[in-house]
Structures are given as C-alpha cells and as structure tokens.
C-alpha cells in the first residue's frame, strides 16, 4: 500500500471506527422505543449520532494535520498537491461510504427483525385471522418500512454530503478545529431552516427534493471550493491580530493606579484563563442560538407544513439536541488544547497546586457546559409552539422508558462534560479529545444498557432494579475523577497511560458488578435461619395457656352448652339501683323465649350467684362455664331476685348455630391485615393493633365505589385498652372491632400514637365481622347480615352506615374479598353479591355443611372447613388458576356445589392469599401452603397442586392474608409475616423480581413483626 494512503488510513481509523459505531448501535438501542412500542419513523436519536460521527470524520483529514502541527510539512512534501488532495478525499470518502452503508444495513435489519418479531408475537392473532385488522397491520408494516428507508437515504445521505464537504472547507479556511466543527454544523442547519421556510407551500415530495437540492448544491460548492483553496493555500498564519471577547476585569485593572501593589488572586486568574480559552465556543454558541431561534420561527409560522412533512420536521427537531455538542467541545478544549499549544507545562509551574488547577478547570467547564448545553436550549425552546426535542410534552423514549425532556437534557449536558473532560486528559489536542469523549460516552451508554439488560433473563440474572445505579454511579464517577486527575498530572499521555486507564475501568466494573450481585441477592441470608425461632411456652407466657386459664377452649365443639339468656357484669351503679346484697355474680339482661333459661323460670334482672355449685364472679366466667357443660345436663343455679335467694334447676341445652358462631368468635384468636392496618385479637380478649390513620385520595372505580388510600398521621403499635374484644377486621380504609358486650367500634384513627376508638350505633348484638377491599360485613346474633363502607356522594367520598343485606335472618358464615361478598345460610346454601351493587345476593353454590368453622372467599372461589375437619372448595374454577388445587374434573363440579379439597380431615382454618395462593392451619398446629404459580386455562385432572409445609414448627394458632403475603400467630406470641405483601416482591407478568425494588425478595420464608407475649 502506498505510504500516503497508509498514513491517511492510520489518521482516520479511530474516528472511522467511532463513526461506524454511531451508525450501527443507535437504532438497535432506541428503536422501536420503550417496551417495544411501535414508532412511525426512526427518529432523531438514530440520525443525530450518525451525523456527529460523519462530522468528526469530515474534519479529520486536515484537522489532524493542524492538531499535530504537520500541515506545513504536508505542503512541503515532494508530491503534487493534486495527488495529496486525491488521496485524502478518496480515503475519507471511502470511509464515509462504508459508514453510510453500515447505517443503511443496520436500519434495514433492525426494522425488518422488529416487524417480523411483532408479526409473530403481539400481532399474531391479527395475522392468523384475515380481515380488516390484518389488512391494517399489513399496511402499517409496509408504511413503516417505506418511511424508514426514505428517512435513511435522505437524512443519512445529506448528513454524509454536508459533513464531508463542510469538514474540508472549514478546516482549510479557519485552521482551527473548534471553529471548523461549529461552522460545519451550523451552515447546513441554517440552509435547512431557510429552505424549509421557502418550500413550506409545496407538497412533501417537492419539499424533500428541494431540501436535498439545496444541501447537495452546498456540498458540491463546498467540495470544489475546498479543493481550489487547498491547491493554492500557503502556510501563512493569521496576521489580523487577536480576536477575543472583551475582558472587563482587565479594562478595570488598566484604569487602576499602577503605583499600588495589586493583591494576588490566583483563583480568579485561573477562572479568567479558563473562560478565555472557551471564547471561541461561546462565540459559536451565539451562532447556534440564532439558528435555534430561526427554527422556532419556522415551527411557529409553518406548523401546518411541518405536520405533513415529517422528514423536514425531524431535521428541524434535531437542532435543540445540537446544543449537547457544547459540553463535548468545552470539556475537550479544557486540557487537550493546552497540551497542543504547548502551554500545559507552564501552567503546572504556577504558584497554585495542581489540585486547585484541576478543580478549577473541571468546575468552570462543567458550569459553562451546563448553561450552554442544558439551560439555554431549554429556555429558548420554551418559545416554540411545542417541545421540539420530542414533539410532545410527554417525554423522550430513551433507555427503556419515557424520560422527562428537561431532566434528560440537563443530565446529558453534565454527563457529556465529565466524560469529555476525562477524555481530554488522555489526549493531546481538541479533536482527539472530542473523539475520546464521544467514545467514553458510547462506552458509558453501552454499560448502562448492559446493566439494564442484566436482569432480562428468565433463567439467570445478576440484578434488577435501581441498586446497580445507586452503587455504580458514585463508584464510576469517583474512579473517573481520580483517573482524570492522575492523567492531568502527566505532561504527555502515552500508550501505557491508556492501558492503565483501561485496566482501572475494567477493574472498577468488575468490582461494581460483584458487589451489586452480592448485595442484590442478599448473600448474607445464607447464614440466617429461614424463619424466626419459637421460644419455649411456659404457663403464663403461652397465649393458649393464658386463654385456658380463663376457661375457654381452642375451637368450641357443636356440643357446647346453652342457656338462652343474655348476661352482663354487675357495676356499682347496678348494685345500688337494684339494692343487691353482694356485688359479685352475673346480671340477667334478657331471657329468650322457649329457651332452657325460660323453662327454668329465670327472669330479667335476676342475679346469678352460683352455677353447678360454684360461685359466679362475673358474666365471662358464667359464659365459659356454661359452654363447657354437656348438653342435657341438669344443674342447680342459685339466683337473687327482689332481695331473696332462690335455687332453680335448669336443663342445659344444645347451643344453636347463631350462638355457636358468637362463641366461636370469642374463643379463638383472630387476625386481620390490609395495607397499613394489622390487628390481632388474642384468645384472652386483648386486641393488638399496628396501624396508621388513612385518608382517601381519589375514586378508583366509579361503578364499584372503590377508592385509593394513603397512610397519614402517627403510627400506633400496641394493645388497645380493654380485654373483652372478640373479633376484628381491617381494610385499606380502616379497622373495626367487636367487643364482648356485642358493641361495634371504629378503630380506624390514631391520635398522638394512640388509637381513637368510637362506638358505632347503640346495638349490642354484633357477633362477627369481616373486611373486603373498601367495605365491611358483620353478623348479628339474630342472623341478619350487615354491610358498610365508602361510597361516592355529591359532596365526595363518604363512609356509609351499616345497612342490612337482603331480608334474610338465617346467615351463619360469611367472608369478603376485594369487591365481592359471600355468605352461607343455615340450610348450607352459599350466596354471593358485589359491594356497592343494588342487586341483592344471588344463590351461588350448594354448601358442604351448615356449620363451618372457617370460611374464606377470593375473587372466584370460596372455601370452608367443616366441624369434622374436612376442607371444601367451590366457585367458578374451571378456567381459573384454582383448578389446579383440585383438578379439572372436580373444578367443573365446583361450579354448582362445593367439592372436597384433599383427603385430610384435621383442618382448623383456611385463607386465600392473592392470586393462586392459599394457606391453612391444621388442628395439630402445622402450617400449610398452596401455590399454583398463576397458571390459567383447562388443566388435566392429574395436575393438582399439593400443599407444602413452609414452617418447621407446629404451634400455629391462626392465619390471615395480608395482600400478597400472609400473617401467622404462634402459641408463644410470635406474629410472623410470610412473603412480601407488595405482590410478593415479583413481577406478576414475567415472574421475575420486581424491578422497582432495591433488592430481590428475601429468601427467608418469614420474619417476626411482633412478639405479643411481651
């Protein structure tokens, strides 16, 4: 190969590789937008980087000679100038041709592969069924391909021509790379603005052709003028004096008295020197400002024309992004230009430390670039009819998301400044600095893209979410800062300096990757137990033992004793009013007709002193003693009536279903959780709450009256006053509880860290309560069912008072889900209705038993545990994930009647947890969990999900759902959270960890959130 040709190839090779990267990479990164969104055209983010690469390549043939100081040597070569010209333009022309070919091929393959992928994935149904929809997508594909090809040929071709010719004539005319860069950039843009304004009344085809003709003529004229200029050029420097902006500080100093001794101000002198070094960039920024204002004028007065001429509009919309070249140029000049001019050695000898000089350069360059590259274009662009950077106010599709334009422009201006400044410390002239800075920006962009892609694999991922940014950005910034300072202290960069920088950056990336992976995957959890340990349960510490001291039983049987009278404690006021002889005992408030108490002759206002030969201390002791009695037992009962003591014989009866439901609610522990509300009723009647007050934000669904909530006010954690609570329910909007005397209380608000409890109504016959999404349901002792919640009124959201559901009074069990409610009647039938709907309950299923001990509802399924410990399920299961719980054959039967769920007969409680999950507790205290992994569609009968035991312990008392997790209470008072309430910590669509989380979901199965025994 000829020596001249080899020299030119070596000269342009780094810049050509950069241009090739800018031609190939952008379209694969930014198109078709975030989440595969289809865009009509390729957009400026594809063509603007390519134009920058072409511009640098056009400046290289003569710009490198000027930067190296070899231009006089080139002119004195014993070779004709025509041959020199031919070699240079041929080599750079071939390089530009390959870059343009790479752009065309890259855009073509990217568009074709994306459209084919969409055709066989998200548009598959449309193409499998020929019709209007398939024709629409066929036309969309054809239009997208045609538009992409036209834009690539027109915009890319004009960028090549203008960059090639402009780079030649500007470098030969100005002999200064920075000025040549800006003129090469601004002149074609000015011609585009003028041409667009002149051709605005012509059709799109004419406008495209006219614009191509104008820029083509400019390229031809510029090329031949550059050739003529080179053939006649002499090695003569500028003799017209210095061209610089006025320095007001120096003028003031000149007027000062020369007799006085000036105080040294080295920092101010350094800052002034840096601003003087940037004067060319500031002057040329004024030219870019004029072009930008011209573009705004064209957009304002030619909006209709630009709406139908997309290619011209896209070209004009590139102008605001050209301001991002300012940070690149400003930072490149900061260090590299001083090395080129031979001033770097003298600056290191100034009476100011190198650290101060380095920081001064960095701060001045960053501030100036931030203003000229970020603030100024955003302020100027506000004058336009719309945001020209995106064409809309929504944002820019960049890095898998829609980014706010303002923040993106400002961040990019600062980021490019820092990267170009770092590149400038590695190079010897401004052109090399620009190339190094742009290369650093590309590498950084690819690193960011790689960091985002590290979590895309369904089988293996290093991390997901923002953790890599929280660790990577500070470490990368600090590393580049330290490397830049070390490079700054070197007079002349060499290959060893580059090797050390590359090695340091690679080591930094490896360390960041390793640390992020270790932290994200919670490596420390390998040494932690999967669930909290349960302590020994001595008498007095064990919640079960405490409850048994009171006299209750864990799960009262249907053979519990029954008298049929309401009782209450004696108060000093009642003792005084009735003139009683003693203050102990239980006052009979009411006697039901046809009950054992009525048959024995008991009356209202009687005071029970003894029952079965044992003294009665209060109403709770009497109730628990009666519950333990065997039905049909004949026992003596001593009472006080009108000042006299009587002994009656009473036949203990069998507790009816309603009374059994009330007793059950009092005897067992009850858990409820939703959002910021967590409530636990212990077997001894104490109520523990962890909650914050909530307020509604807005309506969520008009037809169902649903609202969104946010927590506010102080958090309360601890026990509520009183020890006679028997049931509690919680929703996102609040918390309600029922006390032992049958009163209903609102516990939704907190004040100064304590719960504000308010009694709801005057009724004393509430026995059980349940919570849904935005509503509550409660059962009274007379078998009626009531509901209340939040609804929309003309004055806003308002909580409604309890209203009876239908007119039935034989309800025995009920449960709520997000928007639905289901209840069972005494005949075993299951009924369903929607909260907020005017329609009454409708019969849904035939129940499995008339006396369920546990009842749970989810979106389309209901489950119950019967008194014999069997587990049953029913509902619309055929095409849902819950079909895997029992098999497809059983799921079909479950649409009309509840069917058996498994073969075990020792269940105590069951609860549904989110989609496709359920949890239960057996009588032996073991905890069981089902998870069908979100599988839809008909399943074979053999593909049934069996329950697993997530816990090693068998001392669990009760469970409840907590959004996508569940709570479980152990006998030692440990309240444990299993899973993550926020969707389990995983993305519901792809099953990967939630990308919004800092860390992946914990591998620990459970964590203790409270120790209620303490």
């Amino acid at each position: 190969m000829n020596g001249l040709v080899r020299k030119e190839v070596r000269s342009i090779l780094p810049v050509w590789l950069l241009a090739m990267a800018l031609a190939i990479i952008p379209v694969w990164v930014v198109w078709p937008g975030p989440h595969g969104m289809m865009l009509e055209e390729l957009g400026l983010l594809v063509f603007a980087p390519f134009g920058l690469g072409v511009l640098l390549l056009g400046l290289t043939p003569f710009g490198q000679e000027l930067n190296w100081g070899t231009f006089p040597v080139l002119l004195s070569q014993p070779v004709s100038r025509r041959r020199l010209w031919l070699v240079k333009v041929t080599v750079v022309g071939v390089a530009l041709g390959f870059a343009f070919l790479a752009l065309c091929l890259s855009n073509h393959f990217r568009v074709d592969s994306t459209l084919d992928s969409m055709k066989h994935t998200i548009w598959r149904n449309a193409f499998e069924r020929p019709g209007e929809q398939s024709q629409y997508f066929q036309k969309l594909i054809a239009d997208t391909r045609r538009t992409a090809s036209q834009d690539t040929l027109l915009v890319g071709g004009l960028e090549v021509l203008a960059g090639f010719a402009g780079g030649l004539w500007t470098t030969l005319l100005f002999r200064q790379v920075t000025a040549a860069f800006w003129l090469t950039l601004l002149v074609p843009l000015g011609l585009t603005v003028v041409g667009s304004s002149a051709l605005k009344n012509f059709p799109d085809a004419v406008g495209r052709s006219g614009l191509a003709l104008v820029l083509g003529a400019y390229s031809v004229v510029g090329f031949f003028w550059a050739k003529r200029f080179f053939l006649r050029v002499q090695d003569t420097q500028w003799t017209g004096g210095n061209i610089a902006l006025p320095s007001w500080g120096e003028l003031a100093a000149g007027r000062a008295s020369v007799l006085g001794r000036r105080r040294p101000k080295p920092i101010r002198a350094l800052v002034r020197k840096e601003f003087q070094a940037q004067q060319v960039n500031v002057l040329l920024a004024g030219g870019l400002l004029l072009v930008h204002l011209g573009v705004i004028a064209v957009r304002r007065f030619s909006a209709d024309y630009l709406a139908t001429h997309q290619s011209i509009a896209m070209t004009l919309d590139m102008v605001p992004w050209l301001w991002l070249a300012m940070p690149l140029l400003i930072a490149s000049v900061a260090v590299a230009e001083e090395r080129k001019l031979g001033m770097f050695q003298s600056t290191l000898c100034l009476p100011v430390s190198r650290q101060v000089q380095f920081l001064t350069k960095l701060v001045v360059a960053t501030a100036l670039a931030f203003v000229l590259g970020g603030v100024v274009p955003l302020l100027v662009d506000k004058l336009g009819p719309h945001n020209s950077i995106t064409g809309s106010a929504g944002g820019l599709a960049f890095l898998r998301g829609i980014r706010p334009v303002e923040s993106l422009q400002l961040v990019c201006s600062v980021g490019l400044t820092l990267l170009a400044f770092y590149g400038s410390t590695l190079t010897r002239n401004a052109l090399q600095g620009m190339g190094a800075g742009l290369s650093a920006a590309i590498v950084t962009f690819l690193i960011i893209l790689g960091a985002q892609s590290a979590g895309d694999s369904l089988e293996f991922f290093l991390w997901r979410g923002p953790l890599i940014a929280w660790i990577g950005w500070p470490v990368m910034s600090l590393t580049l800062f330290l490397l830049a300072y070390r490079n700054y202290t070197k007079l002349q960069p060499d290959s060893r300096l580059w090797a050390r920088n590359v090695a340091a950056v690679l080591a930094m990336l490896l360390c960041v990757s390793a640390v992020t992976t270790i932290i994200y995957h919670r490596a420390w959890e390998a040494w932690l137990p999967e669930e909290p340990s349960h302590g020994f349960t001595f008498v007095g510490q064990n919640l079960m033992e405490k409850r048994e001291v009171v006299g209750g039983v864990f799960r009262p049987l249907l053979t519990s004793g029954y008298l049929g009278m309401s009782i209450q404690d004696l108060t000093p006021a009642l003792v005084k009013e009735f003139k009683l002889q003693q203050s102990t005992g239980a006052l009979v408030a009411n006697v039901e007709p046809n009950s054992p108490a009525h048959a024995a002759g008991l009356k209202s206002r009687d005071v029970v002193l003894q029952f079965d030969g044992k003294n009665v201390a209060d109403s709770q002791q009497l109730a628990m003693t009666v519950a333990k009695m065997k039905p049909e037992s004949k026992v003596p009962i001593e009472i006080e009536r009108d000042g006299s003591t009587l002994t009656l014989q009473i036949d203990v009866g069998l507790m009816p279903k309603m009374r059994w439901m009330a007793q059950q609610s009092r005897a067992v522990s009850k858990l409820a959780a939703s959002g910021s509300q967590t409530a636990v009723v212990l077997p001894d009647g104490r109520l523990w709450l962890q909650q914050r007050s909530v307020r509604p934000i807005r309506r969520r669904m008009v037809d169902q009256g649903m609202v969104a909530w946010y927590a506010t006010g102080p958090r309360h954690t601890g026990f509520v006053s009183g020890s006679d609570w028997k049931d509690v329910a919680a929703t996102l909007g609040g918390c309600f509880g029922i006390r032992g005397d049958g009163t209903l209380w609102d516990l939704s608000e907190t004040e100064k860290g304590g719960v504000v409890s308010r009694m709801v109504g005057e009724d004393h016959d509430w026995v059980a309560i349940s919570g849904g999404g935005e509503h509550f349901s409660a059962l009274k002792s007379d078998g009626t069912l009531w509901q209340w919640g939040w609804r929309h009124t003309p004055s806003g959201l308002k909580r409604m008072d309890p209203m009876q559901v239908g007119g039935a009074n034989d309800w025995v069990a009920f449960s709520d889900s997000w928007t639905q409610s289901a209840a069972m009647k005494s005949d075993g039938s299951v009924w369903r209705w929607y909260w907020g709907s005017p329609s009454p309950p409708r019969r849904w299923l035939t129940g499995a038993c008339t006396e369920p001990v546990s009842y749970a509802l989810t979106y389309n399924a209901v489950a119950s545990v019967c008194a014999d410990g069997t587990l049953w399920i029913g509902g619309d299961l055929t095409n849902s994930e819950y079909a895997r719980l029992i098999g497809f054959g059983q799921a079909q039967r479950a649409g009309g009647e509840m069917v058996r769920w498994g073969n075990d007969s020792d269940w105590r409680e069951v609860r549904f947890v989110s989609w496709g999950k359920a949890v239960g507790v057996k009588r032996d205290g073991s905890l069981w969990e089902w998870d069908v992994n979100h599988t839809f569609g008909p399943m074979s009968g053999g593909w049934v999900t069996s329950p697993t035991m997530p816990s090693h312990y068998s001392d669990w008392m009760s469970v409840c759902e907590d959004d996508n997790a569940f709570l479980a209470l152990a006998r030692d008072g440990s309240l444990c959270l299993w899973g993550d309430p926020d969707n389990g910590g995983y993305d519901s669509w792809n099953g990967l960890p939630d990308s919004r989380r800092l860390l992946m979901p914990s591998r620990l199965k459970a964590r203790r959130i409270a120790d209620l025994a303490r």
Side-chain angles (χ1 to χ4, degrees), residues 793-847:
T793 65
S795 59
L797 292 168
K798 182 179 180 182
R799 196 191 75 197
M800 312 303 293
D801 294 329
M803 298 179 295
Q804 186 175 350
V805 178
N809 60 354
D810 56 347
W811 302 105
V812 296
F814 64 101
S815 183
D816 297 283
S817 67
W818 187 252
T819 60
Q820 299 182 66
S821 298
M824 178 181 288
K825 289 188 175 182
S826 57
D827 60 359
S829 59
V830 180
W831 299 65
R832 179 174 61 172
W833 66 98
Y834 286 89
W835 161 247
S837 173
S839 302
R842 294 184 179 181
R843 183 165 179 144
W844 184 20
L845 304 167
T846 299

Side-chain angles (χ1 to χ4, degrees), residues 51 62 86 220 313 351 537 544 699 792-793 896 941 952 959:
F62 294 106
L86 181 63
V220 172
T537 54
M544 290 293 296
R699 294 192 65 205
H792 187 67
T793 65
H952 300 293
V959 293

Side-chain angles (χ1 to χ4, degrees), residues 161-162 165 213-227:
L161 293 177
L213 183 62
V214 170
L215 292 179
Y218 159 77
S219 302
V220 172
V221 172
F223 176 82
F224 284 104
W225 188 89
K227 177 181 179 182

Side-chain angles (χ1 to χ4, degrees), residues 62 75 81 84-85 172 226-233:
F62 294 106
L75 298 180
R81 293 196 179 182
L84 292 175
W85 171 264
L172 289 172
K227 177 181 179 182
R228 182 175 181 274
F229 191 85
F230 178 73
L231 295 178
R232 300 183 179 185
V233 70

Side-chain angles (χ1 to χ4, degrees), residues 553-576:
V553 293
F554 180 75
R555 183 73 72 173
L557 300 177
L558 292 179
T559 57
S560 298
Y562 166 70
L563 297 183
M565 63 181 182
S566 300
I567 55 177
Q568 66 183 78
D569 291 337
L570 287 174
T571 64
L574 292 175
V575 172
K576 183 178 180 180

